[in-house]
């Protein structure tokens, strides 16, 4: 049977396209020096370019500072930032999200879009500002390939607004603004 380290390595590798697996392996080697583990039995599956990818819901690692991973290549830093978007600490997720602000690599979409289904208004506001003319087509492609996941995320956004933010108008809620941008761009949803 696999041990926790082997499970973490396998799950992290399965979250990225095979074309970049060598870089993913370098990032995992780095993360293993940071006490890296993945929450067992908690993940989600999405489609990227017609292929399924299973993404862990949460990772655990020593809490990084913003410079953590600077010795990695640019692609490896992007991969690292994607994995840190799954970190158990919301402040870490938000700091790493900002490092991916203008990135349009398709493989990052599940990691960013996953955050839209969480309840942290500040992260939702950051994502809303990231969806612009440069990135909208990448988000749109992702939700066209993943309509069920999009609907599930929309339901989460609605539920979190109802639970935590209903004292504010729904139209002012960052999660609502994200969904409306994406629905407008993809009017078949």
């Amino acid at each position: 049977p696999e041990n926790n380290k082997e499970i973490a390595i396998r799950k992290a590798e399965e979250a990225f396209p095979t074309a970049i697996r060598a870089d993913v392996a370098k990032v995992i080697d780095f993360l293993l020096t940071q006490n890296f583990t993945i929450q067992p039995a908690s993940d989600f599956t999405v489609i990227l370019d017609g292929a399924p990818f299973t993404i862990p819901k949460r990772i655990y690692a020593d809490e990084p500072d913003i410079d953590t991973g600077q010795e990695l290549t640019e692609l490896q830093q992007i991969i690292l930032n994607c994995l840190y978007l799954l970190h158990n600490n919301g402040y870490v997720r938000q700091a790493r999200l900002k490092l991916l602000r203008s990135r349009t690599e398709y493989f990052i979409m599940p990691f960013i879009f996953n955050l839209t289904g969480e309840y942290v208004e500040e992260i939702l506001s950051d994502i809303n500002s990231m969806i612009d003319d440069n990135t909208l087509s990448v988000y749109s492609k992702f939700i066209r390939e993943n309509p069920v996941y999009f609907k599930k995320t929309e339901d989460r956004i609605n539920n979190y607004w109802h639970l935590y933010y209903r004292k504010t108008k729904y139209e002012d809620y960052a999660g609502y603004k994200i969904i409306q941008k994406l629905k407008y761009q993809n009017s078949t949803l």
Side-chain angles (χ1 to χ4, degrees), residues 66 81 85 91-103 112 115 122-123 125-127 129-130:
I66 206 66
N81 290 331
L85 292 183
Y91 293 107
V92 172
R93 293 192 303 271
Q94 186 175 18
R96 293 299 170 144
L97 176 65
K98 289 178 180 183
L99 296 175
L100 294 170
R101 173 168 276 299
S102 61
R103 305 307 307 197
I112 293 175
L115 293 176
E122 296 81 2
I123 291 175
S125 292
D126 288 345
I127 293 170
S129 70
M130 291 170 65

Side-chain angles (χ1 to χ4, degrees), residues 16-46:
F16 293 94
T18 55
I20 60 171
R21 290 267 168 95
D23 290 293
V24 172
K26 295 276 188 196
V27 172
I28 293 168
D29 287 344
F30 169 79
L31 281 171
L32 289 172
T33 68
Q34 308 293 307
N35 296 316
F36 173 64
T37 60
I38 288 180
Q39 181 176 344
S42 179
D43 49 25
F44 60 98
T45 301
V46 295

Side-chain angles (χ1 to χ4, degrees), residues 58-118:
R58 281 286 174 260
I59 69 158
Y60 299 87
D62 291 342
E63 194 164 315
D65 63 34
I66 206 66
D67 294 325
T68 299
Q70 291 298 310
E71 66 276 13
L72 299 171
T73 68
E74 181 180 5
L75 176 59
Q76 291 164 0
Q77 287 177 30
I78 293 167
I79 294 165
L80 179 69
N81 290 331
C82 286
L83 289 170
Y84 277 137
L85 292 183
L86 308 172
H87 198 274
N88 62 298
N89 183 314
Y91 293 107
V92 172
R93 293 192 303 271
Q94 186 175 18
R96 293 299 170 144
L97 176 65
K98 289 178 180 183
L99 296 175
L100 294 170
R101 173 168 276 299
S102 61
R103 305 307 307 197
T104 59
E105 292 85 350
Y106 191 46
F107 73 85
I108 71 173
M109 281 300 107
F111 299 92
I112 293 175
F113 197 78
N114 178 56
L115 293 176
T116 65
E118 295 186 5

Side-chain angles (χ1 to χ4, degrees), residues 151-168:
K151 177 63 176 141
K152 188 176 186 180
T153 302
E154 181 181 21
D155 292 346
R156 280 193 189 122
I157 287 170
N158 292 331
N159 288 337
Y160 284 132
W161 173 80
H162 183 74
L163 287 170
Y164 300 112
Y165 301 106
R166 66 178 167 200
K167 291 181 181 179
T168 62

